[in-house]
Structures are given as structure tokens and as C-alpha cells.
Amino acid sequence: MISTGLTDFAVGFILLGILRPGYGLDNGLALTPPMGWMTWERFRCETNCKDYPDECISEKLIRDTADMMVSEGYADAGYEYVIVDDCWLSHKRDSDGRLQADPDRFPNGIKALADYVHAKGLKFGIYEDIGTYTCMGYPGVDGHHEIDAQTFADWGVDYVKMDACYTSHINVSEAFPDFGRALNKTGRPIVFSCSWPTALEKPINFEPIKQHCNLWRNNGDISDDWGMVKAIIRHFAGEQDNYAPLAGPGHWNDPDMLVIGNYQLSLEQSKVQMAIWAILAAPLLMSTDLRNVYPEYKAVLQNERVIAVSQDVLGIQGRRIIEDTKNHLHVWTRPVTPVVGEEYSYAIAFWSYRNDGNPHTFKISLKDAGLTNPTGYSVEDLFGDDKFEVTDPSVELKVRITPYGVVLYKATPVSSKANFTQVK
Ligand code: GLA
């Protein structure tokens, strides 16, 4: 488990000092992109527990997942939030006007479920919708902000994903900040994830969204499909001048869930999603059946060196630096720690979208990718074992990439040539 070194009491004390009802969100949370697991992409709105007891949206699925998060090493790798997406609700509020879970699929209620997740050392997240209904037609929070935020706090919810379906009759730009204030008012630290941009006309002014939300969905829904993953990567490249400046500790762009470990992505494509999501400082929210992940895919999800890039404390979102349409190559870089003198370290992703069978060697210098430290870099392959040193950033490297694959390097500046041990 990643630890801050602070006791729960100390963290709570600090947060109480930071929570300021009435202002922007500023809740002191999500200082690095949130990591966890979410039901939606893999389990959708399966409500038939009779025929599909392991797959329906139910307390069993959430408990099984919390168990697997710990026993299979995901929690130790940094994954923290277990989030139930749409379809957990009963269609009716209770007699006091409070939301309630579907009684058949969540017979012990949400509080007991959150307690179970907390007892595992994890955090619990839930889905709602700022409009009249959730996207799948369950009750939304419209007209009930205070009572619903308080209900979530009473249940021990740590993360709220707020969707934006059925909102044509409301002003979402007032409703999202209002719900954020209602969350703050409860005094419980709750990460606020907003699908606010999905309900706005373009061009979108992201400043208020950044002010009121810890993360926000920038694009349509991901699915277990390589074409969709590619489209989202290209979308983030095309919009990087708008998106990248928004990201930082406490506020993140969200390109949607990781679909690694499901039916469609190859191992190489899984590495691409993991690498680019890390470069983008994106939330790492898995949506897969943790009871059935092949070991190679689990290793991608738990690659600690890639996760370290994702969770880098500087919180700078990376950018696509090169699009080489002739060779079908993207180069993405993200400045990360350690900063040596004035020079950042960098994560560098070389993503090949060639599909002509064999691996291909690309010739490129670190300088071409914007890395210019005159005394060079120590370079490490984050998906492999290769380590080498580059004394002169303008020296051409040979980077060999599998079809539709990625090579992810971390380059750390070397402060003086005397520190080199080996030259490639
Ligand atoms: C929208 C969201 C998805 C998911 C579904 C649930 O489509 O974008 O991530 O939450 O609603 O209905």
C-alpha cells in the first residue's frame, strides 16, 4: 500500500483544515491521479444475479473485488478506490427521501459494504447523476443535493462519480459546483469526479470544472476495443494544448477506464494503454474481472515503474511531441521527478501504430523528443530490463517496437559526464 507516512488522524485533521464550504472544491484530495477499480466497462448494468451471480452489480461483486485487490497485489501496487458505477440503486427513494440501494442485490446496504471495503484498507466509491435519472434510468440527485451528499457521507463514501445524463432542464454549470459544495459541507473528504464536460457545448471552458472537480471526463465512453483506445489517445493528442495545462495535483483530465485484462486488447496494446495513461497523468481505474486476469496482463496493471510515472508528484500531464505519419510513430513525453539541477527527468513513450507484421526499428535522438540536458541521461526501459546511458542527447538511438506496441523509457538527467558508467 502506498503510504503518506501520516496517521489517519493527522490526515483527517489536515483535511478538516482544508475543507472550505462555499468555495471551490479545494478538498486536498487526489494529489496524484486516483487509482482504483470501477464496475462499468466490464460489468455494465447486469442486474440478473440469478443467472449471473458473479457478474451482476451486487455487493458480492464489490466484496470479491475488494478481496482480490488485496490478495492479488493491486492494493500494494497503489490501487485504492473500489467504485460501483450505475445500476446499484433502487428505483425508489426511501420514505425519508433518501437514496437506497437495490435491496435484492445489496441486501446489507451500502454502509455495510463501505465498511467491508474500508476494513480491507481500501476506499469506497459510488456513482450518481446530476440530472433526473442516471444514464441507465435510476434516480438522479436533481433536487436532492444536500440530502444525497449527506447520505453518501453517512455511508462512508470516499469518491463520487457524478454523471450528466437527463440534464436538458438544468444548468449543469450551477449544479455540479452546488453538489461539490454539498459534499464539502458534510466534512467528509470525498473525491469528486465530474462528467460535466459531456453535457456542455464546445468549446468548453474548463476553468470552473478544474476549480470544482478533482477529475472530469473529457471524452465519450471507452469500451473494450483497441480502436476506441487509439481514438482516445488521438483525441488527447489533438486537444493537448487545451487539456494538459489543466492537470495538476487535485485536478485531472480523465480519458476513462483502463480496459486491460478484458477480452480485446493484446498484451502489447495493453502496454500502450498503460504507458499513455501514465504519460497523461490519467486516473488509473481498472474495469476488469480481477478474479480472472491472466498473469501477463496483471503484470502490466501492476508494473510499479510505470505506476511511478503515473503517480509522479509533480503532476505534469505529458504531451505528444512527435507524430511521424510516414513511419507511423508517436512520441510522447512527460516531465517527472527527479529534477536534477534545472533538468527534469522524462518518461518517453514511443508508440508505433505500424501493423505490418514484424517489429520495426525507429531511429531517433532524445533531443528530437525535446530532451536537451547537455551532460546526457541515464535511460531505463520501464517494461523491460534494458538500462543504458546517453552522453549526448543528439546521438541517434535505435528503438525497436512491436506492431501496435510501445517502448516506455525513463530518462534521468546525469549532472556530469564523470557519472557515466557505460555509453550506448
Ligand atoms: C455514462 C458514463 C459511463 C457510465 C455509464 C453508466 O455513459 O460515461 O462511464 O458511468 O454512464 O450508465
Side-chain angles (χ1 to χ4, degrees):
M1 186 85 55
I2 288 176
S3 160
T4 57
L6 295 170
T7 63
D8 284 350
F9 176 76
V11 171
F13 191 74
I14 292 166
L15 288 172
L16 279 177
I18 293 171
L19 291 171
R20 288 180 300 159
Y23 297 93
L25 188 66
D26 199 12
N27 57 10
L29 300 174
L31 297 180
T32 61
M35 293 177 64
W37 176 95
M38 192 180 271
T39 47
W40 180 254
E41 198 292 323
R42 172 61 180 80
F43 296 97
R44 302 283 160 161
C45 194
E46 180 57 69
T47 55
N48 180 351
C49 291
K50 186 168 159 289
D51 294 333
Y52 311 110
D54 286 339
E55 294 188 68
C56 64
I57 303 303
S58 67
E59 61 182 41
K60 175 182 176 348
L61 176 60
I62 301 301
R63 285 177 188 229
D64 282 359
T65 299
D67 293 349
M68 300 305 286
M69 289 264 284
V70 175
S71 65
E72 294 296 308
Y74 294 95
D76 281 341
Y79 293 94
E80 187 178 23
Y81 293 94
V82 182
I83 305 163
V84 58
D85 206 286
D86 207 347
C87 307
W88 63 271
L89 280 153
S90 159
H91 281 287
K92 284 209 173 85
R93 289 175 177 268
D94 71 11
S95 53
D96 297 326
R98 286 180 170 247
L99 295 168
Q100 53 186 348
D102 180 278
D104 297 324
R105 291 180 286 115
F106 295 85
N108 294 293
I110 298 296
K111 170 95 176 60
L113 188 55
D115 287 348
Y116 184 90
V117 171
H118 292 152
K120 293 261 158 190
L122 300 167
K123 295 203 163 91
F124 179 74
I126 211 160
Y127 166 99
E128 248 296 2
D129 190 290
I130 202 77
T132 321
Y133 300 104
T134 72
C135 296
M136 296 308 293
Y138 294 86
V141 303
D142 184 25
H144 304 268
H145 288 190
E146 299 242 335
I147 188 173
D148 291 350
Q150 191 58 52
T151 301
F152 292 156
D154 293 346
W155 285 344
V157 168
D158 306 296
Y159 179 117
V160 170
K161 170 179 175 178
M162 187 61 73
D163 215 336
C165 282
Y166 299 101
T167 49
S168 54
H169 63 296
I170 62 171
N171 181 346
V172 290
S173 297
E174 287 172 4
F176 274 97
D178 191 66
F179 196 85
R181 280 189 290 271
L183 286 177
N184 270 5
K185 218 169 130 191
T186 69
R188 183 174 176 84
I190 301 178
V191 170
F192 191 31
S193 159
C194 305
S195 299
W196 181 355
T198 65
L200 297 177
E201 303 268 326
K202 296 197 173 61
I204 294 171
N205 174 13
F206 280 94
E207 280 308 317
I209 300 173
K210 170 183 163 183
Q211 189 191 344
H212 291 283
C213 304
N214 293 118
L215 59 154
W216 51 87
R217 281 282 304 283
N218 302 64
N219 45 278
D221 290 5
I222 201 164
S223 55
D224 182 16
D225 173 61
W226 172 237
M228 184 63 81
V229 174
K230 272 195 302 187
I232 293 175
I233 294 172
R234 289 181 188 285
H235 173 76
F236 265 71
E239 295 287 337
Q240 61 189 1
D241 289 344
N242 294 328
Y243 293 171
L246 302 167
H251 38 91
W252 310 101
N253 294 293
D254 178 8
D256 212 358
M257 290 159 265
L258 296 172
V259 291
I260 298 163
N262 291 324
Y263 302 107
Q264 297 297 327
L265 261 51
S266 72
L267 189 58
E268 299 308 310
Q269 292 162 350
S270 300
K271 290 180 191 169
V272 174
Q273 194 189 18
M274 196 69 189
I276 301 295
W277 263 234
I279 292 267
L280 288 174
L284 299 181
L285 298 170
M286 306 177 285
S287 190
T288 186
D289 186 344
L290 295 187
R291 297 160 300 198
N292 292 302
V293 180
Y294 289 119
E296 299 88 336
Y297 290 80
K298 186 172 127 184
V300 172
L301 287 165
Q302 295 190 5
N303 183 315
E304 60 183 12
R305 291 176 294 162
V306 181
I307 290 173
V309 172
S310 152
Q311 299 294 298
D312 186 78
V313 291
L314 297 176
I316 300 172
Q317 179 171 324
R319 289 168 179 260
R320 183 182 65 189
I321 300 298
I322 297 171
E323 180 177 23
D324 177 346
T325 46
K326 183 164 157 275
N327 288 306
H328 290 196
L329 177 75
H330 277 201
V331 181
W332 290 73
T333 63
R334 174 177 175 185
V336 291
T337 54
V339 180
V340 180
E342 307 264 291
E343 300 283 346
Y344 286 115
S345 298
Y346 284 88
I348 315 165
F350 301 91
W351 171 43
S352 164
Y353 55 100
R354 291 178 72 110
N355 60 356
D356 50 355
N358 62 325
H360 187 78
T361 300
F362 297 89
K363 293 181 183 160
I364 186 165
S365 72
L366 293 181
K367 193 168 163 218
D368 293 337
L371 278 69
T372 55
N373 181 35
T375 44
Y377 295 86
S378 168
V379 181
E380 184 185 358
D381 178 353
L382 301 185
F383 283 115
D385 301 324
D386 210 11
K387 279 189 185 167
F388 58 93
E389 289 174 344
V390 176
T391 47
D392 176 355
S394 54
V395 165
E396 204 168 63
L397 303 177
K398 290 181 183 158
V399 185
R400 193 155 175 81
I401 316 176
T402 52
Y404 280 141
V406 70
V407 168
L408 182 65
Y409 285 154
K410 170 147 180 202
T412 307
V414 177
S415 49
S416 112
K417 289 193 195 296
N419 291 348
F420 284 113
T421 53
Q422 170 205 333
V423 176
K424 182 171 177 176

